[in-house]
Structure formats: C-alpha cells, structure tokens
C-alpha cells in the first residue's frame, strides 16, 4: 500500500551574517539520511520483499532550495539474501559541484558500491540547479525492487512562478513499473541475459499504488485540487522500462520544465515519458467539481507475457474539493490522445544556441539476436572491478588504458562533442541518459529537422527509429556514465563512459578517505553480499 511520505531532510544550520564586508557565507546545509533496507510491502496488493528507503515505496522526498548545500548519508541495512545486498545512490539529474566526486553514485565508474552494514555520505555541495529530479540505486537492477524516490529543487525566484499557485509535496507524481518476482537480480536478470526477452512488469504504480488483473482493489492514489487554483505537477517516470503516457481527463497540461530545464510554456493534452524523464506541467482546476481520471497507459513489452498486466488499471484520481469520495464515472481512455506532446516543439525559456561541434562521433546501438547483449559501436559494456575514476587518478589517460569492455571515450577539455545516433529499426526508443551535465538536443527522435539555434537541453532523450543528435561540452573534468535508462538494457551492455580531460581530473578531483575505503571493503565481501 501507498506509504505516507516522511520528510527526512533536516535543516542543520542557519548561519547568521557577521559585520564584515569581506565575509563569504555558505548557503544553509541540508542533511538527509536514507536507510536502505528490506521491507515486506504490497504496492499493488501483492505482498513481496522489497528494497526500500526508510521502509517505504516510493522513498521519502528530498526537498531543497536552489543554493542549498546537500549531503546525503546512505546507511546500508539490506539483509535479504535473495537480493543484492550492496547498494549505491544516484542523485539523478543533479550535477555535483564539489571537488570530491565529479558524479555521485555510479558504481564502478566513480566509486565502488556500499556493502551491507556500511554507510557512506555524499557531500553534494551547493546546488546551482532547480527543477524536478529523483534518486535511485544505480547498482544492477536494484531500483526495480523499490529503491527510488523524488528529489525536488525549488527556486524561490522561479521565472515561471506566476503561472501556478500550488507546488508542494502533494503535487509530485511518481510513475513506476512494478514486478511481483522478488528475485529479479539473481533469477530474472540471468533469464533475460540468456533469452533476450525482458520481463514484463505486473503493474504500474502511481505514487506507490497500483492494481493488477485479479488483484485486490487497492485504493487509487488521489491528487486533491481546489477549483480555480493552478497546480504545478512534477512528473517523474521512475520506471526501469515502461514508456508512460500521462493525461488528465478533461484538463490541458502546460509544460514548463523538462529534466530541470525551464521551458517556454507549451500546452498539450498528453505527453509520453521515457524511463528517467521528468516534466513539470501546470494544471488549472477549471472544470466542474467532480472526480477525474489521471490516466497513465504504458508500453513495456508484450502484455501476453504477463497476464497480471492491464494498462487500464494504470490510473489515479484528480479530486476536486467538494466532490464525493468516489471513482470517476467515465471509462478510462488509453489513447491515442489528440494534441499530444511532440518533443521537437519544446523551446528553452532562455534561448541558447548550441555551440559548433569540435568532435563528431557516430554511435550505433545494436543487439545480438536472441541474446541480451547490447552494444555501442560494437562493444557491450561490462563494469570494471576498479572504478574508472580510480584508474584516472592513478594515471590512466587514453582509451588504451582501459579494457575494451569499459567502452570509455576520452575527450579533451573545453570542447563541444556531437553524438549522432543513426536511425534504427529496433522497437524500443532507448532513453539515453547522461550523467554530470545536460546536453543540447539538436535533433530529437520526433523530427528530421536539426535545430542549433534554440534547442532544449535535458539529460535523457530517445534514440530510436528516427535517430537523434545531441551536443555537450567537456568543461567539467571526470568520468561520466552515459547509458540507456531501460535498466535491463543497461545491464546488457548498453552503456559507455565519457572521460573528460584526464589531466584536469587528476588536478581537480580529490576524493576523501571514505571514498578510498569503499573498494577494499566491497572487494573483501563474499559474492553473495556484493
């Protein structure tokens, strides 16, 4: 069942100004404690062991303001021997400004995992972003078992604040695929690797609640509104596979943010969201007082492979104050919806031309037929035993210094890199996700037009049948993961490492002693605890 949100962020200190014109004061600090453990939960009515944060699914929201210094302590309390017992944390979409780690939480890229019984603190530093983000385990497919939650960075000076009246914890909408099998990593992942057939989810949760065919009538999640008010809904697709269509019966949606980037307001009736993508939409409660369906039909494999799945059960309720406590009386609409989002029509609130490319790279995504082996330019990524960052700090500087299966691309500092993904005939639109920074999406999968004048920037976009072109800068030194956010594909090799400026990394990145201790501790664990 849906657990009540419990805020775990605690304001540590409010620093008082000192009478000195030369004084420089850090922003207030937020410290968050995430206790990662096992719990028996039933989000869709089927009880199973889960991997969750502070005993709940989804995890508690991390809520901070732009300018806050954020630190997150992960206490690994995992004990279930049928699952992975080590863990990690990815603050998805946040870019670390500290000199300790260029990117937090990428196992075997920037650090080793956190073993059972251990703790580790990510000192993120002052946040200079704002928008809708999330956190999850980056280890194997562990977040499918429940280790995922929202991370919202509010901007008190949001330039679009005049467009909405309400933006709080109650307007966060988390979408997530859900499996009944409790041995996803030890059994279903090897089955997928052997057959190439991704397991199909049993249900799809909205803020932690769902139903499945033949299951109990779990209460729908409810979003409460007051007629006449405007609500900023923060949508997060926390799925490991499913592409979700979001629609609210009888209401239009004004898109104002994608992946932490402010947009020129763009009105639609529905929008598709790939795994890992986030949007903010403004919904105006301007309809007659009643109950309305929040409709989230999804695509994620052949439903015939899992008879529990029923996309008409992927829904929630928008309830106006004064409406009866009852389900809407209309049938659910599973689309297609008119006036749905075309990603290529989005524009940044502050236009910025994409810089000319200094380096051009073509990336081909291919799968070996009948097997779960994905390749990028012919290489299937395998995580190394020694993290990329550790190798760089020890002197690695060229692609030849890494195993071929690490698929590491080395780029010089302060250059613009263009990635071109050719058209492919694969059925999946791969949500490619870049750690460490956003990229200019100069040709989305939804158009043949190349836009270098005012493209949007984001961190997750589709490489699919129509191809994609993106550009990014190498101004930030360090290794950064770039991978498919369908985590089944990620585990099957659809990933690379982008290493910017190895010499600059050694000069600027200085991990602490706690980081130094992670790999020896992890490597000393027995295999069943890793």
């Amino acid at each position: 069942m849906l657990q009540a949100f419990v805020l775990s962020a605690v304001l540590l200190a409010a620093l008082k100004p000192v009478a000195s014109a030369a004084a420089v004061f850090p922003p207030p600090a937020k410290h968050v404690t995430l206790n990662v453990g096992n719990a028996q939960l039933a989000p869709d009515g089927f009880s199973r062991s889960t991997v969750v944060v502070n005993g709940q699914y989804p995890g508690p929201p991390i809520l901070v303001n732009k300018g806050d210094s954020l630190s997150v302590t992960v206490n690994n309390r995992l004990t279930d021997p049928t699952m992975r017992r080590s863990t990690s944390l990815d603050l998805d979409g946040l870019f670390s400004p500290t000199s300790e780690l260029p990117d937090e939480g990428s196992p075997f890229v920037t650090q080793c995992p956190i073993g059972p019984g251990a703790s580790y603190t990510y000192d993120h530093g002052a946040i200079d972003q704002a928008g809708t983000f999330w956190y999850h385990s980056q280890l194997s497919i562990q977040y499918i078992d429940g280790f995922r939650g929202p991370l919202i960075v509010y901007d008190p000076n949001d330039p679009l604040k005049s467009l909405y009246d309400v933006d709080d914890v109650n307007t966060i909408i988390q979408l997530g695929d859900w499996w009944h099998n409790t041995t996803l990593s030890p059994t279903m992942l090897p089955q997928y690797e052997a057959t190439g057939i991704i397991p199909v989810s049993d249900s799809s949760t909205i803020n932690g609640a769902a139903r499945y065919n033949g299951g109990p009538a779990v209460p729908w999640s409810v979003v409460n509104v007051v007629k006449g008010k405007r609500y900023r809904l923060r949508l997060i697709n926390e799925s490991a596979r499913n592409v979700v269509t979001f629609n609210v019966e009888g209401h239009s949606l004004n898109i104002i943010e994608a992946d932490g980037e402010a947009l020129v307001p763009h009105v639609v009736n529905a929008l598709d969201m790939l795994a890992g993508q986030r949007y903010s939409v403004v919904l105006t409660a301007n309809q007659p007082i009643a109950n309305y369906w929040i409709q989230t039909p999804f695509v994620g494999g052949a439903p015939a492979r899992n008879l529990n799945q029923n996309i008409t059960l992927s829904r929630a309720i928008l309830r106006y104050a004064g409406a009866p406590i009852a389900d809407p009386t209309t049938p659910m609409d599973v689309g297609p919806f008119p006036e749905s989002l075309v990603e290529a029509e989005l524009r940044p609130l502050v236009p910025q031309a994409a810089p000319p490319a200094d380096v051009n790279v073509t990336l081909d995504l291919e799968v070996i037929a009948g097997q779960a082996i994905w390749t990028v330019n012919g290489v299937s990524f395998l995580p190394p035993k020694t993290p990329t960052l550790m190798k760089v700090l020890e002197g690695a500087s060229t692609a030849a210094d890494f195993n071929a299966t690490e698929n590491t691309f080395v780029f010089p500092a302060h250059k613009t890199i263009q990635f071109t993904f050719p058209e492919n005939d694969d059925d999946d639109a791969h949500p490619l996700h870049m750690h460490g920074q956003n990229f200019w999406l100069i040709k989305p999968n939804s158009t043949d037009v190349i836009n270098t004048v005012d493209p949007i920037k984001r961190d997750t976009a589709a490489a699919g049948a129509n191809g994609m072109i993106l550009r990014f800068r190498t101004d930030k030194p360090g290794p950064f993961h770039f991978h498919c956010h369908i985590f089944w594909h990620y585990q099957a090799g659809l990933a690379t490492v982008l290493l910017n400026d190895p010499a600059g990394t050694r000069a600027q990145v200085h991990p602490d002693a706690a980081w130094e201790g992670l790999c020896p501790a992890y490597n000393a664990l027995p295999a069943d605890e890793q």
Side-chain angles (χ1 to χ4, degrees):
M1 301 292 287
L2 176 65
Q3 303 289 311
F5 278 140
V6 178
L7 296 184
S8 61
V10 178
L11 187 62
L12 290 183
L15 300 179
K16 296 181 179 181
V18 180
S20 169
V24 177
F25 303 103
K30 289 253 180 192
H31 182 77
V32 176
T33 298
L34 303 180
N35 296 317
V36 181
N38 301 114
Q40 198 75 21
L41 299 178
D44 63 0
F46 180 90
S47 182
R48 55 155 293 186
S49 180
T50 60
V51 176
V52 289
V53 177
N54 296 3
Q56 63 188 75
Y57 169 74
I62 299 175
L63 309 176
V64 295
N65 287 321
K66 183 178 181 180
D68 284 355
S69 287
L70 175 65
S71 68
V72 183
T73 295
V74 175
N75 297 318
N76 184 349
R77 297 177 178 173
L78 294 169
T79 58
D80 190 331
T82 68
M83 302 181 186
R84 291 293 293 261
R85 280 186 276 178
S86 291
T87 193
S88 73
L89 174 70
D90 179 23
L91 303 177
D92 203 304
L94 280 193
F95 313 140
S96 175
T98 70
S99 62
E100 290 185 2
L101 291 179
D103 177 48
E104 296 106 334
S106 291
F108 312 110
V109 177
T110 58
Q111 66 178 91
C112 281
I114 307 164
S119 298
Y120 185 78
T121 297
Y122 299 85
D123 287 314
H124 185 84
I127 301 172
D128 60 1
Q129 299 167 259
T132 305
F133 309 96
W134 62 303
Y135 64 86
H136 60 83
S137 171
Q138 185 79 18
L139 182 63
S140 184
I141 54 172
Q142 190 178 63
Y143 88 71
I144 297 177
D145 290 317
F147 183 173
R148 39 189 167 177
L151 194 170
I152 308 300
V153 183
Y154 297 103
D155 183 359
N157 300 311
D158 180 8
L160 295 171
K161 194 170 184 178
S162 64
L163 298 181
Y164 54 89
D165 305 305
V166 181
D167 177 22
D168 57 26
V169 68
N170 300 302
T171 62
I172 302 170
I173 299 180
Q174 300 172 81
L175 312 168
D177 40 19
W178 193 252
W179 277 263
H180 291 172
N181 195 306
T182 60
T183 57
L184 289 168
S185 293
T187 61
M188 295 184 76
L189 184 56
Q191 289 173 12
Y192 164 56
E193 291 170 340
T195 64
I197 300 173
I198 302 178
V200 175
S201 67
D202 292 276
S203 61
S204 179
T205 61
I206 303 177
N207 284 350
R211 295 184 185 181
Y212 65 94
N213 276 336
V218 172
W220 307 112
S221 291
V222 176
V223 177
N224 293 293
V225 297
V226 174
K227 185 175 176 64
K229 290 190 176 294
R230 302 164 301 168
Y231 294 82
R232 178 172 182 164
L233 306 180
R234 294 181 180 266
L235 314 179
I236 310 171
N237 186 356
E238 298 174 1
S239 296
R241 184 184 191 188
N242 291 348
V243 180
V244 179
T245 300
F246 185 87
N247 165 271
V248 181
E249 178 189 9
H251 295 74
S252 60
L253 305 169
N254 192 7
I255 303 174
I256 61 171
E257 177 220 345
D259 295 358
E261 296 282 349
L263 303 174
V264 173
H266 183 76
V267 178
V268 299
N269 283 337
L271 62 159
D272 292 337
M273 298 183 65
L274 304 178
Q277 288 187 323
R278 297 91 60 204
Y279 287 95
S280 281
V281 300
V282 176
L283 178 144
T284 300
N286 56 7
Q287 298 301 303
I289 293 175
N291 292 291
Y292 297 87
W293 287 123
I294 296 173
Q295 304 171 135
T296 60
F298 60 92
V299 176
R305 292 201 176 106
N306 190 336
L307 298 182
N308 284 336
Q309 188 180 100
N310 183 342
I311 65 171
T312 69
L313 298 178
S314 182
R315 48 181 155 168
I317 296 175
L318 183 80
R319 176 166 294 147
Y320 278 67
I325 307 300
D327 288 357
T329 57
T330 53
M332 181 179 170
D333 187 356
V334 297
F337 299 100
E339 300 180 46
S340 292
L341 169 65
V342 177
E343 187 180 35
E345 296 176 354
L346 296 176
R347 292 292 180 270
L349 184 64
V350 179
Q352 181 185 25
D358 299 308
V359 179
N360 290 277
V361 179
T362 298
L363 298 179
D364 288 302
L365 313 181
E366 295 181 324
V367 64
I368 297 177
Q371 300 179 58
I373 299 178
W374 279 96
T375 65
V376 179
N377 289 5
V379 178
S380 184
F381 177 81
L382 289 174
K385 185 175 181 179
T386 301
T388 308
L389 178 59
M390 184 174 291
K391 292 182 178 180
V392 174
L393 296 179
E394 292 173 350
S397 297
T398 69
D401 293 326
F402 303 94
N403 296 329
T405 52
E406 294 176 61
N407 218 2
T408 301
F409 293 81
V410 181
F411 297 116
H414 308 303
K415 299 294 182 183
T416 300
I417 314 300
Q418 176 168 299
F419 280 174
T420 299
F421 298 86
E423 299 177 2
N424 68 70
D425 57 4
D426 178 55
D427 290 337
D428 287 308
H430 298 281
L432 295 180
H433 172 61
M434 184 175 291
H435 287 229
Q437 64 179 314
N438 285 343
F439 49 76
W440 288 272
L441 184 59
I442 67 172
K443 197 202 86 65
N445 188 52
S446 57
T447 183
D448 292 324
V449 177
I450 295 175
N451 173 18
T452 61
V453 177
D454 59 350
I456 64 168
K457 296 182 75 176
R458 64 184 317 167
D459 59 54
T460 307
N466 202 35
M468 175 177 70
I469 304 176
L470 58 86
R471 291 179 186 171
F472 63 95
R473 293 282 297 169
T474 61
D475 296 327
K476 184 178 179 182
F480 302 96
H481 225 1
F482 182 53
H483 61 83
C484 181
H485 225 300
I486 297 174
F487 260 48
W488 300 95
H489 290 172
Y490 168 47
Q491 288 303 306
L494 193 46
T496 68
V497 175
L498 312 180
L499 174 54
N500 300 338
D501 186 13
T505 301
R506 286 187 286 274
Q508 297 184 41
V509 177
H510 305 290
D512 60 15
W515 178 88
E516 295 277 1
L518 283 173
C519 285
Y522 177 79
N523 293 333
L525 292 171
D528 65 341
E529 293 186 15
Q530 289 187 342

